[in-house]
Amino acid sequence: MDDDALMAILRQAVDAVAAALAALDDWGPAGTRPGQYRSDLVADEAALAVLDRAGLGAVSEESGVHHPDRPVVVMLDPVDGSTNASQGLPWYATSLCALDADGPRAAVVANQATGRCWEAVRGRGASRDGHPIAPSPCTVVADSIVGLSGYPAHDLGWRQYRALGAAALDLCAVAEGTLDGYVDCSPVPLAPWDYMGALLVCAEAGAVVAEAQSRELVVRGYGERRTVVAAGTPELLAGLLEQRARFS
């Protein structure tokens, strides 16, 4: 399967989720486990049907591991920011990242509230709605607007911060320069499906992403968690990592 065919499948999965959400009447809790919403379940079913028909494996936040031995496995968050979705806040996304033996190969992160879509293919750059993107040139923490997951024990020295509630979209905002940086401050770090699609978007756009404890970010295990820090420049990333290291 070539890159264009793979991207077409990821887009089909996004469209299938959009159709499933459009038919949903109740966006509230599913009653299955804490933090899982009805939107998560219908979106998961819709996306997995597309991926399975195409012969792809998947690791999904909502339903676990599917066909992990297939050559391409998709890291899937059917609705990243489902609490936002349940409240009618237009900042929630479907995030898909196809991984092969060499790591992240293709990604689509689609804001399901607005239709805005970020895409990336390894070695081919990143785009938003078909237009190339690039990160902010900001190099100094004191000049930066930083996205947060969770809230730090102290001010990190930013100019301003935003806590928007959907890591995939927050990281895509770093990739396109809407945010200068991003810091995961949550006591429960991000899972791979939260950040993997946006990780490729950032890398292909020219943004830099690191793990606060210097651990590998490209992981495939369902139980893996990572503390993600991102920035538009290496200088800002270094400053944000220094600030993040000041608290556990």
Side-chain angles (χ1 to χ4, degrees):
M1 182 184 300
D2 65 21
D3 289 340
D4 290 337
L6 181 56
M7 285 296 293
I9 293 164
L10 300 185
R11 293 181 189 121
Q12 288 170 20
V14 166
D15 291 344
V17 170
L21 294 178
L24 187 64
D25 293 323
D26 183 356
W27 291 64
T32 47
R33 66 171 190 247
Q36 190 170 60
Y37 292 83
R38 296 182 187 279
S39 59
D40 293 316
L41 298 181
V42 299
D44 188 55
E45 182 179 8
L48 287 176
V50 173
L51 300 178
D52 188 53
R53 282 198 305 270
L56 305 180
V59 179
S60 169
E61 176 181 11
E62 307 306 333
S63 58
V65 180
H66 305 261
H67 306 292
D69 296 329
R70 289 179 174 176
V72 177
V73 175
V74 176
M75 197 64 66
L76 168 66
D77 194 339
V79 183
D80 181 45
S82 49
T83 299
N84 284 353
S86 73
Q87 295 295 114
L89 294 171
W91 194 253
Y92 56 93
T94 298
S95 176
L96 305 103
C97 184
L99 297 99
D100 61 14
D102 296 320
R105 177 179 167 189
V108 177
V109 179
N111 185 326
Q112 291 286 7
T114 67
R116 184 166 287 179
C117 188
W118 293 260
E119 297 183 349
V121 175
R122 187 170 61 215
R124 289 172 49 180
S127 64
R128 188 194 74 192
D129 297 337
H131 301 287
I133 57 174
S136 158
C138 181
T139 60
V140 179
V141 174
D143 295 334
S144 66
I145 299 177
V146 177
L148 299 178
S149 176
Y151 195 78
H154 57 79
D155 189 314
L156 300 185
W158 52 60
R159 179 163 67 92
Q160 293 187 34
Y161 73 90
R162 300 289 184 269
L164 300 171
L169 292 176
D170 298 349
L171 288 164
C172 285
V174 175
E176 70 176 16
T178 307
L179 292 174
D180 300 310
Y182 174 86
V183 183
D184 179 11
C185 301
S186 175
V188 179
L190 300 178
W193 49 77
D194 292 316
Y195 65 79
M196 196 74 71
L199 177 66
L200 184 59
V201 173
C202 282
E204 290 296 323
V208 283
V209 186
E211 207 280 333
Q213 283 80 49
S214 300
R215 295 176 294 179
E216 174 61 51
L217 283 169
V218 180
V219 291
R220 303 170 188 241
Y222 185 81
E224 299 278 4
R225 296 292 184 273
R226 294 293 186 267
T227 300
V228 176
V229 181
T233 63
E235 296 88 349
L236 181 59
L237 180 68
L240 292 174
L241 285 168
E242 181 180 356
Q243 292 294 325
R244 182 62 181 83
R246 292 172 58 195
F247 64 95
S248 59

